[in-house]
Amino acid sequence: MIAKIIEGRSFGGCVGYVLKKDSEIIYANGLRTDSAKTIVQDFNFQRMLNPRLGKAVGHIILSWNTADKDMLNNDIMISSAKRYLSKMGIRHTQCLMVRHHDRKHDHIHIIFNRVNDHGKTISNSNGRYKSFKACKELNAMYGFKQSEGKQNVNRGRLKGNDRTKYQIYDTVKAGIRNSKNWTELQNYIRYKGVEMQFKYRSSSAEIQGISFSKDGQVFRGSAIDRSLSYSQIDKALNGIDNSKELYYTPFTDSPASLSADNSIGKAIGEVASALFSIPDIVPEQEDPLIKKRKKKENYRLKR
């Protein structure tokens, strides 16, 4: 099981999309399900308890692997979805679960109100991290097949930001396989239309993170995939080759390798200094007696 999290502003648009042909309402809480119109009315009525919240529409898609098809039914989907929502901190609010039958893989759409029954906002902080953790725990609990990653995603069905993210993911992954250092990776992905930018810790040259951009859209590496964080890419590149040829700024090699290079350079500099440095010349000291005679002679001449 995997989850996709979406937020929006219009309950009417979301409900209208979810309640389409080949859909089935399998669970509802705090809503009249007579029609799409009554569902939207109830969502909007509770929304007015906190009118300042713009994106009050919570929308989550839970999808299962085709290998799980024989073990799935409405009860299992509802049970796992409720546990998922609880782990996400989504409680005491209106909720609608709709099952779709238009794909090979089973999936349900969950629409919930981010304004809870008490007029409080349901937090979306760290939502994607919590979702990943929740799915992993529920897959183990129910015996669902764990997703094998982005390789099996149907790229042809992706749109908007998701399409761009996967294009960046595929490009950077190919770049890592074909590059020996950061410069080669940067050149490869730039040729493919992707740019990367480093994020530096304030008032220092220490790299804190990385982001990628394509067609005017910018994403943090870790937001695209955990394997595209700065530390993970650096490990992958250093595992291939430790070549350190860089021609661009601010692109730099890993701080650890630069420290090693600086140590070697410092040692060479010290040896060169010892071999080729010119000693300071100290003026020869004049004999005190000669100095005294010169002083007397100068005094006599002045008289």
Side-chain angles (χ1 to χ4, degrees):
M1 183 181 80
I2 59 174
K4 179 180 179 180
I5 302 174
I6 307 169
E7 290 180 0
R9 299 177 181 274
S10 171
F11 280 110
C14 189
V15 171
Y17 169 77
V18 168
L19 293 181
K20 61 181 182 179
K21 187 179 179 180
D22 295 324
S23 66
E24 173 189 5
I25 297 176
I26 61 175
Y27 177 81
N29 177 57
L31 301 164
R32 295 170 294 162
T33 57
D34 304 331
S35 66
K37 183 178 180 180
T38 59
I39 293 172
V40 173
Q41 286 176 342
D42 290 344
F43 270 130
N44 283 329
F45 181 76
Q46 180 157 308
R47 179 183 195 167
M48 294 310 296
L49 295 175
N50 188 356
R52 292 178 299 176
L53 181 62
K55 292 186 176 181
V57 182
H59 182 191
I60 297 171
I61 305 171
L62 294 183
S63 303
W64 284 263
N65 195 291
T66 53
D68 296 327
K69 196 170 188 66
D70 293 337
M71 66 183 297
L72 290 173
N73 55 46
N74 288 351
D75 291 337
I76 293 294
M77 288 181 164
I78 294 170
S79 173
S80 55
K82 284 183 175 180
R83 291 179 184 273
Y84 172 86
L85 292 176
S86 179
K87 290 177 180 294
M88 293 290 290
I90 302 169
R91 308 182 186 91
H92 310 300
T93 192
Q94 295 167 316
C95 178
L96 180 73
M97 298 183 188
V98 181
R99 182 176 181 178
H100 283 186
H101 300 276
D102 58 345
R103 299 284 183 268
K104 291 182 179 180
H105 63 278
D106 288 290
H107 65 283
I108 64 173
H109 291 257
I110 304 172
I111 304 176
F112 67 93
N113 203 329
R114 290 192 60 222
V115 179
N116 71 14
D117 300 337
H118 309 290
K120 303 295 183 181
T121 300
I122 294 176
S123 174
N124 57 3
S125 177
N126 297 318
R128 300 192 187 282
Y129 170 76
K130 290 190 290 188
S131 177
F132 176 82
K133 183 180 178 182
C135 288
K136 187 175 181 180
E137 292 174 354
L138 290 171
N139 285 336
M141 178 184 296
Y142 286 89
F144 298 142
K145 184 175 177 60
Q146 184 73 34
S147 172
E148 296 179 1
K150 291 181 167 58
Q151 289 76 10
N152 296 327
V153 173
N154 185 352
R155 267 61 167 171
R157 296 191 59 83
L158 297 174
K159 297 179 181 180
N161 287 351
D162 289 330
R163 178 189 291 272
T164 305
K165 282 184 179 181
Y166 274 85
Q167 289 173 343
I168 293 174
Y169 172 85
D170 292 337
T171 299
V172 177
K173 280 293 189 180
I176 293 172
R177 290 193 298 269
N178 291 280
S179 303
K180 296 179 180 180
N181 52 54
W182 280 101
T183 300
E184 290 187 9
L185 174 61
Q186 187 262 349
N187 288 336
Y188 181 94
I189 66 174
R190 175 175 286 177
Y191 176 74
K192 299 291 185 178
V194 177
E195 294 287 346
M196 67 180 180
Q197 301 86 32
F198 289 123
K199 179 182 179 182
Y200 293 88
R201 193 176 298 278
S202 59
S203 303
S204 74
E206 181 183 353
I207 298 174
Q208 192 175 22
I210 190 170
S211 60
F212 298 94
S213 60
K214 179 178 173 64
D215 299 332
Q217 296 176 287
V218 182
F219 306 96
R220 288 183 296 106
S222 57
I224 298 173
D225 191 77
R226 295 167 70 88
S227 65
L228 296 191
S229 68
Y230 168 75
S231 60
Q232 293 299 318
I233 296 176
D234 196 55
K235 287 180 183 178
L237 291 175
N238 287 329
I240 297 172
D241 191 344
N242 285 322
S243 176
K244 307 301 175 189
E245 296 180 5
L246 296 176
Y247 308 98
Y248 300 91
T249 57
F251 295 98
T252 61
D253 284 302
S254 63
S257 62
L258 285 177
S259 177
D261 290 344
N262 289 339
S263 298
I264 295 172
K266 183 178 180 181
I268 294 173
E270 290 175 351
V271 173
S273 177
L275 290 175
F276 302 106
S277 61
I278 299 174
D280 293 333
I281 299 175
V282 180
E284 184 179 355
Q285 296 295 323
E286 191 176 28
D287 191 301
L289 294 175
I290 297 175
K291 186 177 181 181
K292 187 176 181 179
R293 289 174 184 171
K294 286 183 177 180
K295 189 175 180 180
K296 288 181 177 181
E297 182 65 20
N298 289 337
Y299 177 76
R300 186 180 63 81
L301 292 173
K302 287 180 180 180
R303 293 183 64 185

